């Protein structure tokens, strides 16, 4: 998720072994974290400059959750209803999420809404929910990647 201001970060290491090596490892981790946060801040500033209209946001959400062809999908009505629910949920996060209220309609707000929606709608209630969440953390979310490409294309 792009807004990481409230995230807690911790570093643990064994208390045995070469203490100088542990200090070096800690320095490398801190440097990597610092570089990441600097890069994240620059990216957030760039996304903040990309102005969006309500219609663009609606179009992006429709592209994130496309409707299947009626002939191609078994159980079309159920699939269609689920897609409509997802679209409404995503727009609701974009428009109503309290921590996004201070941002204009822009790329940062949209990306934050998408990442928030993905984080809270990851299938936790399914048998594979924990695994899917883990894989999303490891490899990233395809939905977030798609949203990012759409925003950056403007």
């Amino acid at each position: 998720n792009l807004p990481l201001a409230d995230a807690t970060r911790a570093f643990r290491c064994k208390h045995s072994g070469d203490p100088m090596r542990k200090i070096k490892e800690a320095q490398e981790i801190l440097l990597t974290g610092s570089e990441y946060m600097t890069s994240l801040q620059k990216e957030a500033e760039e996304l903040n400059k990309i102005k969006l209209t309500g219609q663009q946001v609606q179009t992006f959400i429709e592209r994130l959750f496309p409707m299947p062809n009626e002939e191609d999908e078994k159980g079309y009505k159920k699939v269609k209803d689920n897609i409509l629910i997802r679209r409404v949920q995503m727009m609701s996060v974009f428009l109503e999420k309290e921590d996004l209220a201070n941002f204009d309609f822009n790329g940062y707000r949209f990306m934050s809404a998408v990442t928030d929606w993905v984080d809270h709608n990851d299938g936790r209630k399914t048998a594979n929910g924990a695994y899917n969440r883990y894989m999303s953390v490891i490899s990233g979310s395809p939905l977030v990647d798609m949203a990012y490409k759409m925003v950056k294309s403007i």
Side-chain angles (χ1 to χ4, degrees), residues 49-75:
K49 293 176 187 174
I50 300 172
K51 303 303 177 198
L52 299 175
T53 65
Q55 183 57 51
Q56 285 173 308
V57 171
Q58 183 66 40
T59 300
F60 285 171
I61 291 172
E62 289 171 2
R63 287 173 55 194
L64 289 173
F65 301 108
M67 284 292 174
N69 290 331
E70 190 169 351
E71 310 83 44
D72 296 344
E73 192 64 48
K74 193 174 186 177

Side-chain angles (χ1 to χ4, degrees), residues 5 7 10 13-14 28 34 46 52 54 62 67 80 94 101-102 104 116 119 124 136 140 142 149 154:
C13 68
K14 291 182 181 179
E28 289 173 4
S34 177
E46 288 301 313
L52 299 175
E62 289 171 2
M67 284 292 174
K80 179 183 168 196
F94 180 81
N102 292 330
D104 294 330
D116 186 86
D119 188 48
R124 283 176 236 214
S136 172
K149 287 177 185 172
I154 291 182

Side-chain angles (χ1 to χ4, degrees), residues 6-150:
D6 297 329
T8 301
R9 300 289 179 249
F11 173 74
R12 293 183 184 186
C13 68
K14 291 182 181 179
H15 293 287
S16 60
D18 180 11
M20 294 311 290
R21 193 177 110 241
K22 301 295 182 191
I23 290 171
K24 177 100 171 117
E25 288 175 8
Q27 287 172 334
E28 289 173 4
I29 288 171
L30 290 172
L31 179 61
T32 301
S34 177
E35 290 170 353
Y36 171 79
M37 292 307 292
T38 299
S39 176
L40 181 63
Q41 181 178 353
K42 287 179 186 174
E43 186 61 37
E45 289 169 359
E46 288 301 313
L47 289 169
N48 201 41
K49 293 176 187 174
I50 300 172
K51 303 303 177 198
L52 299 175
T53 65
Q55 183 57 51
Q56 285 173 308
V57 171
Q58 183 66 40
T59 300
F60 285 171
I61 291 172
E62 289 171 2
R63 287 173 55 194
L64 289 173
F65 301 108
M67 284 292 174
N69 290 331
E70 190 169 351
E71 310 83 44
D72 296 344
E73 192 64 48
K74 193 174 186 177
Y76 174 77
K77 179 169 178 2
K78 177 90 169 138
V79 171
K80 179 183 168 196
D81 290 346
N82 287 338
I83 289 171
L84 291 173
I85 289 168
R86 287 180 175 94
R87 287 177 177 182
V88 169
Q89 289 172 335
M90 178 77 73
M91 184 59 86
S92 176
V93 172
F94 180 81
L95 294 174
E96 300 169 11
K97 185 77 172 168
E98 190 175 314
D99 61 343
L100 299 178
N102 292 330
F103 294 95
D104 294 330
F105 280 25
N106 59 37
Y108 180 82
R109 183 176 181 152
F110 182 71
M111 289 305 303
S112 293
V114 171
T115 56
D116 186 86
W117 186 90
V118 166
D119 188 48
H120 293 95
N121 292 283
D122 60 6
R124 283 176 236 214
K125 296 175 185 159
T126 67
N128 294 327
Y131 176 76
N132 292 342
R133 185 165 170 75
Y134 171 76
M135 290 308 295
S136 172
V137 169
I138 296 301
S139 59
S141 166
L143 203 66
V144 172
D145 293 342
M146 185 176 174
Y148 181 78
K149 287 177 185 172
M150 288 188 289

